[in-house]
Amino acid sequence: MVKLHFAPHLTILGSAANFQNGRGIPIFSSPVQAGFPAPAEDDVESQLDLHRYCVTNPTATFFLRACGDSMIGAGIHNGDLLVVDRSAEAAHGRIVIAAIEGELTVKRLCRKDGRVLLRPENPAYSDIDITEREYVFIWGIVTFVIHSL
Amino acid sequence: MQTHSTQPRFFLIDCNNFFASCERVFRPDLANQPIVVLSNNDGCVVARSREAKALGIPMGEAEFKLRPLLERYKVHVFSSNFSLYAAISQRVIASIESLVGDVEQYSIDECFVRLSPALAANALDTARAIVQRVQQWVGIPVSVGIAASRTLAKIACHLAKSYCSGIFFLNGTEDQHDKLFAKIPVQEVWGIGRRLAKRLYEADIHSVKDLKYADTDWVRRNLSVTTLNTVLELRGIPCIEDISAPAKARKTIICSRSFGEKIYEKETLAHALTAFVSRAAVRLRKNQLLAQGLGINIASSRFSDQYTNKAWQTLLPRPTMDTQILLQTAISGLETIFQAGVPYARAGVLLYELSPSTTRQGYLLDLEALDHDLRREQLMHTIDSINSRYGRSQIRFALEGTADEAWQMKQERRSQNYLGDWESLAIAHCKN
């Protein structure tokens, strides 16, 4: 990691990986040419792939679109892209996608005084107690929010 | 007779009502609701949810015949969304592989797993883990059959579904199995089609048990080695090879579709055939093949009063991959079999007598013809690569017409492409 003199609060992590084609093979992984070895080839691995950073289990990861402002306190804005991992554990305090009343909805999962609550992150909305509710299930765990500026 | 049918060697994992279950993944409002999925062109029912089956909606029935029933029970009707189903299928397979290693995919919603000794020792626990994981990771319910051969695993899975528990392990005694098998009709066995079943009935073989104990010499002499293998598999002796092994070289290429609306004009029919020939030719070139035989067929709806289905075929002077030659031939065939006044509902193109493009015959030292053909092939490959880069049909033959014609497929009720389009992602509500 490299510290920048002119901006001490920023850190350079490394360079972004090349765009990958459908099979997950870097486009620039060159066929071996006669004569010269390609020194850059070994370095492809060491670049940073944003997709791999956000998606640890591709098989169980889905992208959803947030709609509304009830999770604004958790940094989820209207129109944001949500990275949802269905293989992650639904634990206290996690932001989850819950299926409730036939809708997929974003909430913080909370346990409090033996109750299970779905908590919005906006004072204009109130908690939903799901302790005794039927037909509510946790669809997945939100692991990243992609917000375009 | 010595059998080994209690030793588990295979899983057959089958997604329950796969297409209907796919439609539910992003739609929790569809839980416990009746769902049907229609075939290409919204013609017939190809998948039903458990609730739709309970309403007595038959498989393969034409949608228009069912319309009153579908409306009365508020059945959710979908057009086939194959790109969604294929993407979910890949995830189902990957989640199973994350537990057991390689699987043999048999169809879009079924796969076999050959059990290693370690897995076989914990067959039931592994099966439970698979059911749990596919449901959690992908949202698709699956059933698992566990048995000593692939054919038996298929039967076990069938039983798993009938008894609703999701997993069926054929690990009883020979007698217990035979009692079950006596109740299952023989045409339920994997690989026993309708025609074969009829021959078996004539030989007084009606149940799975009858087939299991059929005289092997008689089967070999009167039926086939394939059926003999099935008999042995029913006895718990695995005989069928890896079904995902590379298929034999293809023998035909078929492109056929139902139309969105009935077609009466020869010209519109020619447009449709042109599009089908073009697609078939792309597939031909992708597989590096040449075709010498070409057939076309045009038919009215099989539900119409005067059903007609006319076919025509011919052998070309030389094997070819040239779309233009195939087109001219197909259109000349259309001239021969077209009848005015018929409400045509579907058409198809068949390429046969296929040979690898690397071995060429029929030129008889006619180097000029060879040179011409090779240059045409170069052109075809160029067109294919442009179309695959910039979208299908950027360059097309003028006869093909445009996208909004009557023969285009009707898919009015297709769900959104949740997994393949940034604009069609499922909505996560932040409104309460």
Side-chain angles (χ1 to χ4, degrees):
Chain A
M1 289 199 284
V2 182
K3 287 274 178 203
L4 297 173
H5 292 298
F6 57 88
H9 56 285
L10 290 179
T11 306
I12 295 180
L13 300 172
S15 67
N18 288 312
F19 181 73
Q20 305 208 332
N21 65 19
R23 284 175 189 166
I25 301 156
I27 284 171
F28 288 92
S29 102
S30 63
V32 177
Q33 306 277 328
F36 259 100
E41 216 166 301
D42 294 337
D43 299 334
V44 170
E45 287 288 302
S46 67
Q47 301 195 51
L48 301 174
D49 184 337
L50 186 59
H51 188 77
R52 269 191 209 162
Y53 183 75
C54 296
V55 179
T56 41
N57 184 357
T59 306
T61 300
F62 295 83
F63 299 142
L64 275 72
R65 185 74 65 189
C67 180
D69 62 356
S70 70
M71 291 303 287
I72 206 103
I76 298 173
H77 297 73
N78 188 25
D80 281 358
L81 181 70
L82 305 176
V83 179
V84 179
D85 186 348
R86 290 178 58 115
S87 64
E89 200 194 339
H92 168 77
R94 300 215 67 164
I95 307 277
V96 300
I97 304 287
I100 181 165
E101 282 162 9
E103 264 186 6
L104 298 177
T105 174
V106 194
K107 290 280 180 293
R108 193 181 293 280
L109 183 66
C110 294
R111 283 175 194 282
K112 198 182 162 196
D113 308 328
R115 315 294 296 171
V116 183
L117 306 174
L118 293 177
R119 172 163 292 171
E121 295 273 331
N122 182 335
Y125 300 88
S126 42
D127 292 357
I128 301 173
D129 189 331
I130 57 164
T131 319
E132 275 107 33
R133 287 277 279 271
E134 277 182 275
Y135 305 116
V136 175
F137 67 95
I138 302 302
W139 193 91
I141 311 298
V142 181
T143 50
F144 283 90
V145 186
I146 313 246
H147 176 75
S148 120
L149 296 172
Chain B
M1 181 189 316
Q2 207 202 342
T3 54
H4 325 263
S5 47
T6 50
Q7 201 177 329
R9 294 197 195 88
F10 293 95
F11 284 164
L12 184 272
I13 302 157
D14 191 356
C15 301
N16 302 346
N17 316 319
F18 182 57
F19 294 174
S21 299
C22 288
E23 297 294 348
R24 274 186 182 142
V25 170
F26 297 95
R27 293 274 311 267
D29 59 308
L30 295 180
N32 306 315
Q33 298 289 312
I35 300 172
V36 302
V37 178
L38 303 177
S39 60
N40 274 345
N41 208 33
D42 291 358
C44 307
V45 173
V46 292
R48 303 160 296 163
S49 70
R50 191 166 44 85
E51 298 77 9
K53 287 177 187 170
L55 289 174
I57 295 170
M59 190 72 154
E61 185 65 281
E63 187 266 347
F64 73 86
K65 285 191 184 174
L66 290 170
R67 213 166 287 162
L69 184 72
L70 297 175
E71 278 166 17
R72 182 161 8 118
Y73 291 106
K74 298 197 168 59
V75 177
H76 299 266
V77 181
F78 289 94
S79 309
S80 297
N81 187 347
F82 282 110
S83 47
L84 177 71
Y85 308 153
I88 291 181
S89 167
Q90 274 181 7
R91 286 172 184 253
V92 169
I93 298 296
S95 8
I96 297 168
E97 284 182 331
S98 72
L99 285 165
V100 299
D102 283 350
V103 311
E104 302 165 10
Q105 186 163 6
Y106 175 61
S107 68
I108 192 165
D109 58 355
E110 278 175 292
C111 66
F112 288 103
V113 176
R114 181 195 285 271
L115 300 175
S116 63
L119 282 176
N122 297 304
L124 202 53
D125 287 341
T126 311
R128 287 198 189 106
I130 289 173
V131 172
Q132 198 277 335
R133 176 161 291 187
V134 179
Q135 178 68 54
Q136 192 194 334
W137 285 19
V138 198
I140 297 290
V142 299
S143 299
V144 185
I146 313 168
S149 69
R150 289 184 176 84
T151 305
L152 287 173
K154 271 270 205 187
I155 291 175
C157 193
H158 175 78
L159 292 167
K161 288 188 170 182
S162 336
Y163 293 112
C164 280
S165 64
I167 298 172
F168 199 99
F169 191 175
L170 266 179
N171 63 343
T173 64
E174 205 66 38
D175 267 357
Q176 288 171 325
H177 291 179
D178 289 347
K179 270 183 200 139
L180 270 174
F181 293 171
K183 287 186 220 152
I184 309 172
V186 73
Q187 70 265 23
E188 298 289 342
V189 175
W190 187 34
I192 305 294
R194 207 181 303 170
R195 201 180 295 171
L196 186 50
K198 218 177 137 199
R199 291 188 65 187
L200 291 170
Y201 294 152
E202 283 160 11
D204 215 24
I205 295 172
H206 299 274
S207 69
V208 175
K209 185 185 173 190
D210 294 343
L211 184 60
K212 177 179 170 185
Y213 293 109
D215 177 24
T216 47
D217 284 334
W218 178 85
V219 171
R220 192 187 348 233
R221 261 183 283 114
N222 294 281
L223 301 168
S224 65
V225 179
T226 319
T227 314
L228 178 66
N229 284 342
T230 301
V231 172
L232 295 175
E233 287 242 326
L234 287 175
R235 296 179 185 176
I237 305 159
C239 306
I240 296 171
E241 288 160 33
D242 184 346
I243 41 83
S244 63
K248 286 181 199 136
R250 15 186 353 159
K251 292 200 176 114
T252 56
I253 291 176
I254 296 170
C255 186
S256 92
R257 294 277 187 285
S258 296
F259 306 132
E261 291 160 32
K262 303 283 175 286
I263 291 179
Y264 293 90
E265 308 80 27
K266 189 161 60 179
E267 197 176 86
T268 319
L269 216 46
H271 286 178
L273 279 177
T274 304
F276 300 164
V277 168
S278 304
R279 274 177 224 167
V282 168
R283 261 186 262 162
L284 187 70
R285 295 190 286 267
K286 214 183 246 173
N287 289 290
Q288 299 190 317
L289 293 168
L290 303 170
Q292 189 158 20
L294 178 138
I296 61 168
N297 90 305
I298 49 176
S300 62
S301 162
R302 62 192 167 92
F303 301 108
S304 72
D305 297 338
Q306 350 105 306
Y307 173 59
T308 74
N309 183 0
K310 283 269 159 60
W312 177 90
Q313 59 189 56
T314 189
L315 278 178
L316 303 163
R318 290 198 298 268
T320 185
M321 58 165 73
D322 189 331
T323 305
Q324 199 180 346
I325 293 171
L326 296 170
L327 269 179
Q328 283 162 352
T329 315
I331 298 303
S332 74
L334 177 64
E335 298 283 351
T336 318
I337 58 174
F338 176 81
Q339 282 175 287
V342 175
Y344 288 105
R346 67 180 294 124
V349 168
L350 163 77
L351 302 180
Y352 61 102
E353 291 286 319
L354 306 183
S355 56
S357 59
T358 42
T359 57
R360 276 157 202 284
Q361 288 169 343
Y363 288 98
L364 291 172
L365 295 177
D366 186 349
L367 290 178
E368 204 173 310
L370 179 62
D371 185 52
H372 170 264
D373 284 5
L374 288 176
R375 257 188 289 154
R376 290 288 306 176
E377 282 166 24
Q378 193 58 48
L379 173 65
M380 292 299 134
H381 284 300
T382 308
I383 292 177
D384 289 349
S385 67
I386 290 172
N387 282 342
S388 81
R389 192 173 316 165
Y390 299 105
R392 195 157 81 182
S393 304
Q394 280 295 312
I395 298 182
R396 57 173 179 254
F397 287 82
L399 256 179
E400 213 174 312
T402 51
D404 50 2
E405 281 190 79
W407 58 270
Q408 291 283 340
M409 206 159 37
K410 207 155 82 179
Q411 292 190 317
E412 286 164 0
R413 286 167 280 196
R414 187 162 63 182
S415 51
Q416 63 208 68
N417 190 3
Y418 298 103
L419 292 172
D421 178 9
W422 292 114
E423 304 306 316
S424 306
L425 297 179
I427 295 297
H429 291 274
C430 314
K431 286 178 173 170
N432 50 10

